[in-house]
Amino acid sequence: LAKTTQPISMDSYEGQEVNITCSHNNIATNDYITWYQQFPSQGPRFIIQGYKTKVTNEVASLFIPADRKSSTLSLPRVSLSDTAVYYCLVGDIPNAGNMLTFGGGTRLMVKP
Amino acid sequence: EPEVTQTPSHQVTQMGQEVILRCVPISNHLYFYWYRQILGQKVEFLVSFYNNEISEKSEIFDDQFSVERPDGSNFTLKIRSTKLEDSAMYFCASSPVLAGEQYFGPGTRLTVT
């Protein structure tokens, strides 16, 4: 599984766009990039997954450059309720027994 | 929206005792998992389960641990002889297809004294 590096913490204010970048220099051809969100005392929650270029859903966008060595999770107009830990996961998910390998994540604090 | 449920929400047990943590995955899901998170640490994979057998397990999942799907709805994690270091939040998850997103339950906080 590719090692990921993301900032330990970030601060933002309500209404701002937040971009969290994850580095994965050793990403393999078969690897997908997946982001999960975890609120305190809750289980992680899937946000978005992509392989290349841009993926958008109702919650977030995921930008992946052509070399796929990094990715950026973009949260538009955050609110206080977006305060959580955000995990970037990279792996050959279909062939890895489905296990998810979580790193330390990025602790996002949204302030009023 | 369907969700994974877990019981109990908090379990306190004495060292050496057996505990069973229970999970009800989402009904049409086929893949089931257990993870744990020691306070302040990373979420760690324990085991995955498909078609009534373990498909993958981590080094943490030693002989003290076992999983079972005793009926069509429940998925359980048993720890035979708990240790202090087993104190953690245990999350159950399920997914509908291989490589599908995993849906996590709210967790069971296990405290071993």
Side-chain angles (χ1 to χ4, degrees):
Chain A
L1 295 173
K3 179 178 166 57
T4 60
T5 303
Q6 52 182 125
I8 294 174
S9 64
M10 293 180 68
D11 288 344
S12 181
Y13 291 93
E14 281 190 292
Q16 289 188 331
E17 178 184 78
V18 170
N19 296 308
I20 306 174
T21 297
C22 179
S23 297
H24 28 81
N25 291 318
N26 297 322
I27 191 168
T29 304
N30 294 333
D31 286 345
Y32 284 73
I33 300 153
T34 309
W35 286 80
Y36 277 76
Q37 172 192 56
Q38 186 180 27
F39 298 114
S41 299
Q42 293 188 29
R45 184 173 75 102
F46 172 90
I47 301 175
I48 198 165
Q49 182 179 84
Y51 184 80
K52 60 180 179 180
T53 63
K54 177 183 174 182
V55 180
T56 297
N57 61 22
E58 65 277 6
V59 177
S61 294
L62 178 60
F63 299 91
I64 306 168
D67 67 5
R68 304 200 325 123
K69 293 183 183 300
S70 66
S71 58
T72 300
L73 174 72
S74 181
L75 304 172
R77 296 184 299 281
V78 294
S79 63
L80 296 176
S81 62
D82 292 315
T83 293
V85 179
Y86 292 82
Y87 299 98
C88 166
L89 290 81
V90 173
D92 184 9
I93 296 172
N95 297 314
N98 281 340
M99 69 176 189
L100 299 178
T101 302
F102 289 84
T106 297
R107 189 172 300 275
L108 173 66
M109 174 70 73
V110 180
K111 302 174 182 178
Chain B
E1 183 180 331
E3 57 184 22
V4 175
T5 59
Q6 292 185 240
T7 54
S9 56
H10 191 191
Q11 173 92 46
V12 181
T13 189
Q14 289 190 327
M15 194 168 51
Q17 295 296 305
E18 174 184 286
V19 294
I20 298 176
L21 310 183
R22 291 182 167 81
C23 168
V24 178
I26 295 173
S27 63
N28 63 346
H29 286 189
L30 302 177
Y31 298 85
F32 315 112
Y33 320 84
W34 284 100
Y35 293 81
R36 79 172 187 189
Q37 186 173 31
I38 296 171
L39 186 63
Q41 297 188 23
K42 301 175 184 178
V43 176
E44 300 174 290
F45 170 79
L46 293 178
V47 65
S48 58
F49 191 87
Y50 169 71
N51 200 25
N52 285 319
E53 60 183 28
I54 291 173
S55 53
E56 192 81 20
K57 62 181 181 179
S58 71
E59 292 178 354
I60 302 170
F61 194 88
D62 60 21
D63 292 343
Q64 294 294 324
F65 292 87
S66 63
V67 290
E68 192 178 32
R69 188 156 163 81
D71 52 44
S73 59
N74 291 285
F75 180 50
T76 62
L77 174 70
K78 181 192 290 186
I79 309 175
R80 287 189 185 80
S81 178
T82 51
K83 297 175 273 198
L84 295 176
E85 53 265 37
D86 293 327
S87 294
M89 184 76 97
Y90 287 80
F91 295 108
C92 173
S94 66
S95 64
V97 295
L98 195 65
E101 65 185 81
Q102 294 185 18
Y103 294 76
F104 283 75
T108 292
R109 180 171 299 283
L110 176 64
T111 302
V112 182
T113 61

